[in-house]
Amino acid sequence: GAFKYKANSCKMLVLLAQGTGLVPFIPILEQVLGNLDEEAKVTLIYSASSWEEVLCQEEINEFCGFWNFSCKIFVGDQQAVNLCRVPQREVLWTRMGEEEVKELCKSLETDSKFLVCGSKQYMKDICDILTISCGYDAQQIERF
């Protein structure tokens, strides 16, 4: 892809993905987490309609082994399944909405960079929440 992440260019890198929107983030996560000099914290916020729809589970679980990575997976159908506990991975059996994004923003650095990938509606909604409700600058948000 055209996106190039410059090492240590922000304190926190937040990737918000919906469904297959996760796929373009995997090489970015590999690059950022594979750089031993990287100091940014990396958070993946991933939304899927059901646990069966959660892509790249092995990769996500591997990423959870990095000190600077954490992950929240929102599962919209609310059909909880028993999962192995993975450190730094939280699974929420609910749809992600504006309140959840605003809550997330409270824990972030002002010097955060956001990457957003999903349906057009998802990207519009997330970008609106980040800029209007959370007060981030549109320059801090990259759409895929």
Side-chain angles (χ1 to χ4, degrees), residues 48-109:
S49 49
S50 68
W51 185 253
E52 292 73 44
E53 304 270 319
V54 174
L55 303 173
C56 307
Q57 291 183 32
E58 278 180 34
E59 289 91 338
I60 291 171
N61 292 348
E62 265 179 51
F63 296 148
C64 288
F66 287 88
W67 71 271
N68 55 340
F69 179 81
S70 65
C71 170
K72 276 189 183 187
I73 302 173
F74 287 86
V75 182
D77 71 359
Q78 301 173 4
Q79 301 297 309
V81 291
N82 284 328
L83 301 172
C84 296
R85 208 178 112 28
V86 175
Q88 297 168 200
R89 182 191 78 182
E90 185 182 356
V91 178
L92 298 111
W93 303 102
T94 183
R95 290 179 64 100
M96 183 179 76
E98 183 171 0
E99 289 311 308
E100 288 77 13
V101 177
K102 281 164 52 176
E103 193 57 39
L104 164 79
C105 287
K106 289 179 189 169
S107 66
L108 299 179
E109 304 277 349

Side-chain angles (χ1 to χ4, degrees), residues 6-139:
K6 194 168 140 290
N8 295 308
S9 59
C10 60
K11 285 199 177 81
M12 191 168 260
L13 182 63
V14 182
L15 296 86
L16 294 117
Q18 175 198 46
T20 56
L22 174 68
V23 176
F25 289 163
I26 297 298
I28 295 169
L29 286 164
E30 288 169 344
Q31 175 205 344
V32 175
L33 296 171
N35 179 355
L36 298 176
D37 297 324
E38 181 59 61
E39 308 229 336
K41 287 198 163 70
V42 182
T43 302
L44 171 65
I45 309 296
Y46 180 40
S47 301
S49 49
S50 68
W51 185 253
E52 292 73 44
E53 304 270 319
V54 174
L55 303 173
C56 307
Q57 291 183 32
E58 278 180 34
E59 289 91 338
I60 291 171
N61 292 348
E62 265 179 51
F63 296 148
C64 288
F66 287 88
W67 71 271
N68 55 340
F69 179 81
S70 65
C71 170
K72 276 189 183 187
I73 302 173
F74 287 86
V75 182
D77 71 359
Q78 301 173 4
Q79 301 297 309
V81 291
N82 284 328
L83 301 172
C84 296
R85 208 178 112 28
V86 175
Q88 297 168 200
R89 182 191 78 182
E90 185 182 356
V91 178
L92 298 111
W93 303 102
T94 183
R95 290 179 64 100
M96 183 179 76
E98 183 171 0
E99 289 311 308
E100 288 77 13
V101 177
K102 281 164 52 176
E103 193 57 39
L104 164 79
C105 287
K106 289 179 189 169
S107 66
L108 299 179
E109 304 277 349
T110 50
D111 171 24
S112 293
K113 184 159 188 58
F114 299 90
L115 309 184
V116 184
C117 190
S119 68
K120 280 191 172 114
Q121 189 62 54
Y122 172 85
M123 293 200 294
K124 181 193 180 310
D125 292 347
I126 295 295
C127 292
D128 284 351
I129 295 166
L130 290 174
T131 53
I132 298 163
S133 304
C134 300
Y136 286 97
D137 192 303
Q139 299 290 307

